[in-house]
């Protein structure tokens, strides 16, 4: 009989993992990548009718070899049309030694939290240690987890939320104050929102929302929204004037704001300062000085997913969390006899 598969809901994952756990998992994943203990092939983008799907996979040796594959649907108009989340999906976690499926995990919580953890990890290397103000551009589901994660690595005392939909900004401001204790106000315009030490852009924009004239010296920007080729948040001239760090260079050359800056002739790939793994391992240093503008071009990698999923899975097994089930148990016996298959199972 096949070994049981563990089904973990979003609530299960939330009960098992704290923001600091995601930070540790993401840092471990980028370190493992540089130490050749992890590998993530290029992601696949599948076009849908009113959105699209990302398929991402990675291997990861955490003392035991794992492989995870995540399929996420990203449909920005969902909330207005049907009240469904923008992002929905699942992670399939497998044993990389024998191929067995270990778990099917709801991906919403992991996707949100691991993305925010990468921003926080980048902020540790690229923002000023005394950064105390946070500006959030785009007040969807990603915004609150970004604020929570960043508040754990920098002494933030004031957040400014900005969205074209003011009601979203008001709801976010209330949630940030409740969950982090920091003061959060609704910014009246972009100028007010960008007068901060740290800025997060988590929009669905197809054209730049930040330009060089918006940004003060010494600012750190986590550019999170451009996770597919058609999205674009950071103006090419701002990219060119900044210390640019990417999560995965090859991926950012295909999606994210780097590809737009290169296409516009504003900069080249050779001008990218580092990837996040190089900062984690100390191969490259972070912020050059207190006046440099630094940008983290975050496109999201399966390295983050697999490390987070592994930690959640191992904790679930240890704590008896989740629902065990089997997809099938039609396996050859040790004697070599092969059980009969249904007629429609031969294709």
């Amino acid at each position: 009989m096949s070994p049981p598969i563990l089904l973990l809901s979003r609530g299960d994952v939330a009960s098992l993992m704290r923001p600091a756990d995601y930070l540790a998992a993401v840092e471990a994943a980028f370190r493992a990548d540089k130490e050749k203990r992890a590998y993530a092939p290029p992601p696949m983008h599948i076009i849908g009718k009113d959105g699209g799907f990302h398929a991402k996979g990675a291997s990861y040796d955490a003392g035991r070899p794992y492989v995870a594959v995540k399929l996420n649907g990203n449909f920005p108009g969902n909330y207005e049309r049907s009240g469904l989340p923008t992002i929905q999906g699942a992670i399939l976690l497998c044993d990389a030694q024998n191929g067995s499926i270990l778990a099917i995990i709801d991906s919403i919580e992991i996707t949100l939290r691991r993305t925010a953890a990468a921003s926080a990890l980048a902020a540790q290397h690229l923002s000023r240690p005394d950064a105390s103000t946070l500006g959030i551009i785009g007040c969807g589901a990603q915004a609150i987890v970004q604020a929570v994660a960043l508040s754990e690595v920098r002494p933030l005392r004031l957040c400014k939320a900005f969205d074209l939909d003011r009601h979203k900004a008001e709801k976010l401001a209330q949630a940030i104050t409740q969950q982090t204790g920091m003061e959060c106000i609704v910014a009246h315009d972009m100028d007010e929102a960008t007068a901060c030490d740290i800025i997060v852009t988590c929009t669905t924009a197809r054209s730049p929302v930040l330009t060089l004239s918006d940004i003060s010296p010494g600012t750190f920007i986590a550019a999170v929204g451009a996770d597919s080729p058609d999205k674009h948040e950071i103006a090419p001239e701002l990219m060119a004037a900044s210390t640019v760090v990417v999560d995965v260079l090859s991926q950012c050359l295909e999606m994210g704001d780097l590809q737009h800056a290169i296409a516009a002739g504003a900069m080249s790939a050779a001008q990218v300062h580092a990837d996040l793994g190089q900062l984690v391992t100390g191969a490259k240093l972070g912020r050059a000085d207190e006046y440099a503008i630094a940008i983290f071009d975050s496109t999201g990698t399966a390295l983050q997913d697999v490390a987070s999923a592994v930690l959640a899975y191992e904790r679930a097994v240890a704590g008896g969390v989740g629902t065990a089930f089997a997809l099938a148990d039609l396996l050859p016996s040790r004697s070599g006899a092969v059980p009969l298959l249904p007629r429609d199972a031969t294709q």
Side-chain angles (χ1 to χ4, degrees):
M1 179 177 290
S2 301
I5 299 167
L6 198 60
L7 180 65
L8 295 177
S9 69
R10 182 177 183 181
D12 292 332
V13 175
S15 73
L16 294 164
M17 302 276 283
R18 305 272 75 82
D21 299 322
Y22 286 100
L23 181 63
V26 167
E27 182 172 9
F30 281 106
R31 186 179 299 278
D33 179 54
K34 294 305 178 187
E35 295 173 352
K36 308 301 182 185
R37 293 184 293 106
Y39 170 70
M44 181 189 305
H45 181 67
I46 305 169
I47 298 173
K49 181 179 179 182
D50 296 309
F53 294 85
H54 294 158
K56 298 179 178 181
S59 62
Y60 178 54
D61 187 343
R64 171 183 178 180
Y66 293 93
V67 161
V69 178
K70 181 178 79 174
L71 180 66
N72 261 9
N74 191 323
F75 288 74
N78 266 2
Y79 182 78
E80 287 74 15
R81 286 194 302 267
S82 59
L84 290 172
T86 297
I87 296 175
Q88 300 172 87
I91 297 172
L92 192 69
L93 183 67
C94 301
D95 186 315
Q97 188 165 344
N98 61 28
S100 62
I101 300 172
L102 300 173
I104 298 175
I105 308 170
D106 179 90
S107 69
I108 295 178
E109 187 76 3
I110 285 179
T111 299
L112 291 172
R113 298 286 180 178
R114 63 73 151 156
T115 303
S119 295
L121 183 60
Q124 287 182 316
H125 294 275
L126 297 170
S127 67
R128 297 196 306 269
D130 62 349
S132 62
T133 53
L134 170 66
I136 296 183
I137 315 299
C139 298
Q142 182 60 226
I144 180 64
V145 294
Q146 289 282 330
V148 170
L150 288 163
S151 70
E152 296 212 347
V153 299
R154 286 295 182 258
L156 300 176
R157 58 174 179 78
L158 174 64
C159 179
K160 303 174 185 178
F162 179 76
D163 195 286
L164 296 177
D165 183 338
R166 186 177 176 84
H167 179 62
K168 283 187 178 181
E170 290 171 346
K171 288 181 64 177
L172 175 66
Q174 183 178 20
I176 287 175
T177 298
Q178 289 175 344
Q179 294 192 35
T180 70
M182 82 170 93
E183 180 185 2
C184 187
I185 63 172
V186 176
H188 292 91
D189 53 32
M190 188 68 75
D191 287 343
E192 184 179 5
T194 56
C196 292
D197 301 321
I198 296 175
I199 299 171
V200 177
T201 56
C202 42
T203 73
T204 58
R206 264 63 178 176
S207 60
V209 297
L210 289 185
T211 65
L212 182 56
S213 62
D214 294 321
I215 307 303
S216 301
T219 303
F220 165 64
I221 302 166
V224 174
D227 59 354
S228 61
D230 59 332
K231 293 183 179 180
H232 190 186
E233 294 186 312
I234 311 299
E237 65 269 20
L238 175 54
M239 293 285 289
S242 305
T243 299
V244 175
V245 171
V246 298
D247 48 12
V248 180
L249 179 58
S250 59
Q251 190 166 292
C252 290
L253 292 172
E254 300 293 330
M255 59 181 74
D257 287 293
L258 177 61
Q259 58 131 351
H260 294 293
I262 292 174
M267 64 181 293
S268 68
Q271 291 173 276
V272 172
H273 173 66
D275 62 41
L276 196 49
Q278 289 173 313
L279 299 188
V280 166
T281 59
K284 292 284 186 72
L285 298 178
R287 168 174 291 279
D289 59 69
E290 63 176 305
Y291 301 107
I293 299 171
I295 294 176
F296 174 48
D297 193 5
S298 174
T299 55
T301 167
L303 295 170
Q304 299 159 250
D305 296 313
V306 65
S308 300
V310 164
L311 184 53
Y313 168 74
E314 291 181 344
R315 287 189 172 180
V317 171
V321 176
T323 303
F325 73 102
L327 288 174
D329 53 19
L330 294 176
L331 295 176
S333 68
R334 292 188 179 181
S335 65
V338 179
L340 295 176
L341 298 177
R343 291 183 181 180
D344 61 354
T346 58
Q347 294 296 321

